[in-house]
Amino acid sequence: MPTTEARGLTKFLAPHREVLRHTNTASRHATTAKKTVAHALTYTVTATAYQAVPGQTDDEPFITADNSQIKPHYGSKKRWMALSRDLLKPWGGPFKFGDKVRVRGLSSKLDGVYTIHDTMNRRHRHCMDILTHPTEKYDIFQKGVKIQPLAAL
């Protein structure tokens, strides 16, 4: 049985427990807000274009690093991209295969949302490669392109 003094302390602390609960809830909301802000990070990369041909890929040009199959009549409208390894999660980066990324700074025709399906050679750092068809004749080497992860819906 609590003493009179202990019961008085419990009564004194009771209103403060409510404040503590609200403080913990507020800090949880702040943590959630920080996670949302983390998705708003923008990365500056050098952009190039690649085609699914043996000279620009490995010995299986129609299979990407995440085992997606590139169809024979693909093109830039498919909006697939490769990232350098320093930007991919298996090598310590923030992105993973299948993530959708907003790209800005290429051109009005090529800016938009891309899906990460491939990786680049290990010699590249802070680079992205967009998948194009050889008939599209894109010759891209653009520095200062911005990529931003899209939050999962």
Side-chain angles (χ1 to χ4, degrees), residues 99-118:
D99 282 354
K100 294 203 180 289
V101 178
R102 179 170 310 283
V103 176
R104 291 179 287 125
L106 276 172
S107 72
S108 58
K109 191 175 181 179
L110 293 174
D111 284 356
V113 177
Y114 287 78
T115 305
I116 302 167
H117 284 284
D118 217 345

Side-chain angles (χ1 to χ4, degrees), residues 102-148:
R102 179 170 310 283
V103 176
R104 291 179 287 125
L106 276 172
S107 72
S108 58
K109 191 175 181 179
L110 293 174
D111 284 356
V113 177
Y114 287 78
T115 305
I116 302 167
H117 284 284
D118 217 345
T119 186
M120 299 173 74
N121 189 293
R122 68 175 43 99
R123 72 178 176 269
H124 297 289
R125 298 278 180 266
H126 267 73
C127 294
M128 65 169 273
D129 239 349
I130 61 167
L131 181 64
T132 63
H133 194 271
T135 60
E136 290 179 301
K137 305 286 188 223
Y138 282 114
D139 186 22
I140 299 170
F141 184 84
Q142 181 76 35
K143 290 185 178 190
V145 174
K146 308 289 185 197
I147 61 172
Q148 182 176 25

Side-chain angles (χ1 to χ4, degrees), residues 36-82:
T36 306
V37 170
H39 283 289
L41 291 175
T42 302
Y43 298 86
T44 304
V45 298
T46 300
T48 54
Y50 80 106
Q51 297 146 2
V53 295
Q56 295 183 27
T57 62
D58 59 10
D59 57 347
E60 293 185 78
F62 291 103
I63 306 289
T64 63
D66 69 350
N67 286 322
S68 296
Q69 182 81 31
I70 300 173
K71 304 281 188 243
H73 300 290
Y74 69 93
S76 61
K77 290 182 182 174
K78 185 76 172 163
R79 302 289 190 188
W80 283 13
M81 69 183 290

